[in-house]
Amino acid sequence: MNNAANLDTELVYLACESTHDPLLFVEQAYPWGEGDLKGKAIRGWQRDYLIELGEKLKAGKTNAFKAIQESTASGHGIGKSALVAWLIDWAMCTHEDTKGVVTANTETQLKTKTWAELAKWRRMSAFNKWFTLTATALFSSDPAHEKTWRIDMIPWSERNTESFAGLHNEGKRIILIFDEASAIPDAIWEVSEGALTDPETEIIWAVFGNPTRANGRFRECFRRYRKRWHTRSIDSRTVKGASNPEKIKEWVEDHGEDSDFVKIRVRGVFPATSSSQFIPGDVIEQAMSGPATSLLDDPLVMSLDVARGGDDECVFRFRRGLDGRSMAPIKYPGADMRDSMKLVAVACELLDRHKPTAFFVDETGLGGPLVDRIRQLGHDNCYGIQFSAKSPDARYANMRAYMYFKLLEWFRAGGKVEDSDSLRMELEATDYEPHNARDQLKLIGKKEIKKLLGISPDDADALALLHAMPVSNNHHLAAMRQSAWRPAVSKMGY
């Protein structure tokens, strides 16, 4: 047997032996101590990751309903990209007809960092000739398997989720990797999650990133979905050989150990609030905890955010003083309220039953005719609010930004709402944009939030609507007559 045949036999043996031992593969597949790897070694956290993954594979932790799901938040310079490259190489080399997808927060990140790192390690891999690496895929060099034994590099797109939804490989192995996962929209996570259900299949879903956002699905791996994910946070200072330790030391000295800057870039810990989040996370948590109280003479305010589409919701909300919790929100799928008169009937029934002092309705688009009809039926306490209208406070670009500002003030004054994961996500996702030329603050739109969450922030907007104008029990005529609100409010009869 010639040397080439001996080498091939050894590689096949190594591939079989390390099918469920990724650490063994990494130790044996690359020329440690030679060339570019002279003086280099597998770092401690990388070794722990590979050992734990191997133990789960050996224990048969994957099944038809549960993939192995690994979520890693980290500071900078810990060797994350190298581990991603090893996982791809190991997954492909040690299981015939493996299929997978690798994506990242941006196409630039994917091409210049994630895929470039893979190219570097593939050049050094003992299995280099087994597969062909192109600008967008790694696939078998055997023409008979190039369609069935491959991993594709795919920039995410909410308009093209089929690449994630079609990730099936029953009876074999699937690997899905998200790099810089904080900025990958929730819609991509949800489509991916629904696709990873093949029975009798090894399914590995590994996500990595700096914890840049206090909301979104990467954050929820460590909170709401923590039972599904094995999570780890890696502090750059604990990693021997981490890049640029002097710069990391400067960051800590300049910003402080507990600053969001250090949490994100050094400690691998999620910030209390995203850098552009309008309502801070700690304020939201305080509003969702503790008792809700109101005074006997506090007026009742009711609001309605009108759905714009079939998958959005029409949401009624209530508030009495600082209590926005005791009366639960009422929600109807937009598809069930295509007949606007049906929604009018529901609104009038609630008005008759609860007799609020004021009823604020989102008048944008479909809401205008609703307000007209409700007032025609005798409810002159119904007021249409234009979200895009001029704000009564010159600091805010429109009524929507103003109402959220008043909601933030209400929270800080002790306002309470129910503890709701969906409402929390909607509030956390409401970021503000850079100030405009008039130095006015503007919030990102509902469409942008829906792209991020996969749902429209109808509930949060209904909550903000409750704060459109001051309301008092001796009716609110004085406030209504103030000219500042006139551009935003219609159907007042003045």
Side-chain angles (χ1 to χ4, degrees):
M1 187 177 289
N2 59 37
N3 289 337
N6 283 333
L7 179 60
D8 285 342
T9 300
E10 290 177 5
L11 290 178
V12 170
Y13 180 78
L14 174 59
C16 293
E17 192 177 17
S18 56
T19 296
H20 290 159
D21 193 342
L23 177 60
L24 176 64
F25 176 87
V26 173
E27 288 176 332
Q28 298 296 320
Y30 308 112
W32 296 101
E34 302 175 14
D36 291 342
L37 297 183
K38 190 172 183 179
K40 305 291 185 181
I42 302 170
R43 294 171 178 175
W45 81 270
Q46 296 168 331
R47 182 177 295 273
D48 292 341
Y49 188 110
L50 297 170
I51 290 172
E52 291 170 4
L53 175 58
E55 289 173 347
K56 291 175 184 176
L57 289 165
K58 291 169 187 174
K61 292 294 186 182
T62 59
N63 57 49
F65 306 103
K66 183 176 176 62
I68 291 178
Q69 297 181 187
E70 302 286 329
S71 183
T72 305
S74 69
H76 287 287
I78 67 165
K80 167 181 60 68
S81 297
L83 180 62
V84 168
W86 300 343
L87 289 174
I88 296 170
D89 200 17
W90 161 80
M92 286 287 281
C93 295
T94 62
H95 200 298
E96 184 179 5
D97 285 339
T98 287
K99 291 180 70 175
V101 167
V102 180
T103 193
N105 59 326
T106 64
E107 188 170 1
T108 299
Q109 167 74 25
L110 196 53
K111 288 181 176 179
T112 64
K113 295 185 179 180
T114 313
W115 212 245
E117 187 74 9
L118 175 63
K120 181 183 79 174
W121 287 97
R122 282 295 305 157
R123 285 193 297 271
M124 295 186 286
S125 176
F127 296 86
N128 180 267
K129 294 182 179 179
W130 282 24
F131 301 96
T132 300
L133 181 68
T134 69
T136 59
L138 176 67
F139 54 87
S140 173
S141 297
D142 180 352
H145 288 268
E146 64 179 24
K147 299 295 185 184
T148 60
W149 198 344
R150 63 184 295 123
I151 290 180
D152 291 287
M153 180 269 281
I154 302 177
W156 63 263
S157 170
E158 291 165 306
R159 294 181 297 276
N160 179 29
T161 59
E162 292 83 359
S163 300
F164 300 88
L167 188 59
H168 295 285
N169 199 25
E170 186 172 344
K172 296 175 184 176
R173 174 183 282 171
I174 294 172
I175 185 166
L176 176 63
I177 292 178
F178 286 3
D179 196 7
E180 294 304 337
S182 267
I184 296 176
D186 289 8
I188 301 299
W189 289 74
E190 289 165 6
V191 170
S192 301
E193 189 171 46
L196 300 179
T197 56
D198 286 354
E200 305 301 323
T201 303
E202 282 190 3
I203 303 174
I204 302 161
W205 189 1
V207 301
F208 302 86
N210 300 122
T212 56
R213 295 186 63 89
N215 50 51
R217 282 294 296 268
F218 186 46
R219 176 66 180 93
E220 296 307 320
C221 291
F222 293 75
R223 187 165 55 188
R224 182 161 52 138
Y225 301 125
R226 59 186 177 276
K227 292 183 179 179
R228 303 183 200 173
W229 291 85
H230 178 226
T231 61
R232 55 179 65 78
S233 295
I234 310 297
D235 189 318
S236 300
R237 295 167 296 183
T238 68
V239 179
K240 185 177 180 180
S243 61
N244 212 344
E246 290 302 317
K247 175 58 69 176
I248 290 173
K249 184 178 179 181
E250 287 179 9
W251 286 344
V252 176
E253 291 174 349
D254 292 345
H255 298 278
E257 182 75 20
D258 293 325
S259 66
D260 282 346
F261 186 95
V262 170
K263 285 180 179 179
I264 294 168
R265 292 165 175 78
V266 180
R267 295 170 57 190
V269 174
F270 287 89
T273 301
S274 297
S275 58
S276 58
Q277 184 176 317
F278 185 64
I279 301 179
D282 58 340
V283 173
I284 296 170
E285 293 303 321
Q286 186 177 19
M288 292 185 176
S289 61
T293 60
S294 63
L295 301 177
L296 291 176
D297 61 347
D298 281 335
L300 178 66
V301 183
M302 187 170 106
S303 68
L304 168 61
D305 185 73
V306 182
R308 302 297 191 277
D311 60 345
D312 296 343
E313 289 185 316
C314 297
V315 182
F316 291 91
R317 276 257 170 198
F318 305 88
R319 172 178 71 87
R320 191 183 295 278
L322 294 175
D323 184 3
R325 180 188 300 163
S326 296
M327 295 181 66
I330 299 172
K331 303 178 182 181
Y332 295 93
D336 293 348
M337 292 291 169
R338 293 189 187 279
D339 181 353
S340 59
M341 291 305 101
K342 184 176 179 180
L343 187 56
V344 166
V346 172
C348 289
E349 192 278 329
L350 291 172
L351 287 165
D352 290 337
R353 188 197 318 169
H354 299 296
K355 296 179 172 52
T357 302
F359 176 36
F360 299 129
V361 179
D362 169 15
E363 195 183 31
T364 308
L366 301 176
L370 295 176
V371 174
D372 290 338
R373 183 56 179 155
I374 292 169
R375 289 184 62 84
Q376 286 176 358
L377 293 173
H379 298 284
D380 61 358
N381 59 342
C382 175
Y383 303 95
I385 303 297
Q386 293 281 350
F387 274 40
S388 60
K390 181 180 178 181
S391 164
D393 186 326
R395 293 175 296 174
Y396 300 95
N398 52 33
M399 271 297 290
R400 184 165 184 266
Y402 170 78
M403 290 188 295
Y404 271 87
F405 164 68
K406 300 305 290 186
L407 173 60
L408 174 58
E409 283 193 328
W410 182 74
F411 278 155
R412 286 179 166 155
K416 300 295 182 182
V417 293
E418 74 279 9
D419 189 347
S420 163
D421 286 336
S422 59
L423 178 60
R424 179 185 288 105
M425 284 194 301
E426 291 180 24
L427 292 170
E428 288 178 344
T430 304
D431 291 352
Y432 62 87
E433 298 178 345
H435 286 50
N436 61 20
R438 299 177 62 186
D439 200 30
Q440 293 173 313
L441 183 141
K442 183 179 179 181
L443 303 180
I444 65 171
K446 295 184 76 163
K447 289 183 179 179
E448 287 80 2
I449 295 175
K450 188 170 183 178
K451 285 181 182 180
L452 175 66
L453 300 181
I455 59 172
S456 178
D458 304 310
D459 197 11
D461 276 5
L463 187 62
L465 262 171
L466 291 171
H467 305 272
M469 290 176 287
V471 179
S472 63
N473 259 334
N474 55 357
H475 216 304
H476 36 293
L477 296 180
M480 296 299 178
R481 289 186 179 119
Q482 293 182 31
S483 60
W485 273 277
R486 285 183 179 171
V489 185
S490 66
K491 319 307 175 195
M492 295 172 53
Y494 304 137

